[in-house]
Amino acid sequence: VLQSCVGLQSVNISKCGNLDGGALLRGAAENCSCLHEFDVGCVDGVDDEAVMCLAESEVGPHLRVLGLESSSDVTDVSLEVLREHCPQLRRLDISRNSSVSEDAIIHFASGHQNCMVLQVSNCRRVGNHCRLLLGSLLSGRTGSSAETPAASPTRVRRPRLQEPQTMADPDAAIAELLTLGFPLERVQAAVGRCATVVDAVEWLLAEEAPEAVSPGSTYCPTVASPGGSSAG
């Protein structure tokens, strides 16, 4: 079908148990350059190699929706490839995944400004605090949504601080955190105190008192003084 219908723009084969999802992703990459939406959720055979094949093909630049539910062979590698090669991706479903890490999710959401919906429900390695952070990152984007627990996004648990240590790539972590609008001095302090980017964002959100922002505006947190008042 993919070879015959080269003009396909939307394909949904989710929950089709007798199909090979990896082969279908590769087939779409080779034959369906007009594809905008592809859902292979709950289909066996989907892995990083297949996702990379699709993302790096002619499909990648205009892919808007991708469903990868229950694809536990999809790892952090796929998120990075999608971030780099699929700039128009607006909705990504990686729910019921047991391989993708919290750091990769936050890195994807902060670096992919067009993504408005990122589904991470029942991801084994993703906790409620990461979902709160994800909601905060996507909240200023028009039409955005993320699955977050019922709690105020500004009441984020402050992470348990580690002994002073550096991240694997502190310069990259600082650059990523600065794109979220946090002041350089606070970012440097967070990177010096926290073990991961997720913990650093949590610590910054716990220390800051962000003002309400309208959709599409630039997020610029207001620093909270020790006494509880805010300094502009």
Side-chain angles (χ1 to χ4, degrees):
V1 173
L2 294 178
Q3 291 177 344
S4 302
C5 302
V6 295
L8 280 175
Q9 295 186 12
S10 178
V11 176
N12 186 338
I13 56 168
S14 61
K15 299 181 174 65
C16 293
N18 296 324
L19 300 178
D20 183 337
L24 289 167
L25 284 172
R26 287 186 285 271
E30 295 173 2
N31 300 287
C32 303
S33 59
C34 297
L35 195 63
H36 291 165
E37 302 180 6
F38 202 5
D39 192 341
V40 291
C42 303
V43 179
D44 292 337
V46 178
D47 56 16
D48 287 334
E49 183 180 350
V51 173
M52 289 172 63
C53 185
L54 182 72
E56 294 176 352
S57 72
E58 293 182 9
V59 176
H62 47 78
L63 186 66
R64 296 176 184 172
V65 178
L66 182 61
L68 301 172
E69 180 184 355
S70 296
S71 301
S72 287
D73 287 332
V74 168
T75 71
D76 295 358
V77 173
S78 288
L79 287 190
E80 182 61 20
V81 171
L82 290 171
R83 187 182 69 85
E84 292 181 359
H85 295 280
C86 302
Q88 299 303 316
L89 191 62
R90 296 177 179 272
R91 182 186 183 96
L92 176 62
D93 183 356
I94 55 169
S95 55
R96 303 182 185 278
N97 179 292
S98 59
S99 301
V100 173
S101 70
E102 293 182 334
D103 273 353
I105 288 171
I106 296 301
H107 182 64
F108 176 86
S110 61
H112 197 306
Q113 296 302 310
N114 285 327
C115 184
M116 296 186 293
V117 179
L118 182 53
Q119 295 175 269
V120 296
S121 61
N122 296 304
C123 286
R124 187 177 301 175
R125 299 178 63 189
V126 180
N128 284 345
H129 68 289
C130 182
R131 293 187 176 93
L132 282 169
L133 297 179
L134 183 58
S136 296
L137 288 172
L138 300 181
S139 62
R141 302 176 189 176
T142 304
S144 66
S145 71
E147 295 153 336
T148 58
S152 169
T154 59
R155 295 181 61 81
V156 180
R157 175 182 60 82
R158 179 171 178 166
R160 182 174 63 244
L161 296 182
Q162 311 287 330
E163 291 298 320
Q165 60 180 322
T166 58
M167 299 186 186
D169 191 346
D171 290 339
I174 289 173
E176 183 172 346
L177 292 167
L178 286 175
T179 65
L180 303 181
F182 293 110
L184 176 61
E185 182 179 354
R186 303 303 301 162
V187 166
Q188 291 173 329
V191 170
R193 296 184 182 199
C194 300
T196 68
V197 173
V198 170
D199 281 351
V201 176
E202 279 195 49
W203 185 81
L204 286 163
L205 288 176
E207 290 289 302
E208 307 279 349
E211 296 178 344
V213 294
S214 58
S217 63
T218 302
Y219 173 62
C220 184
T222 303
V223 181
S225 65
S229 58
S230 297

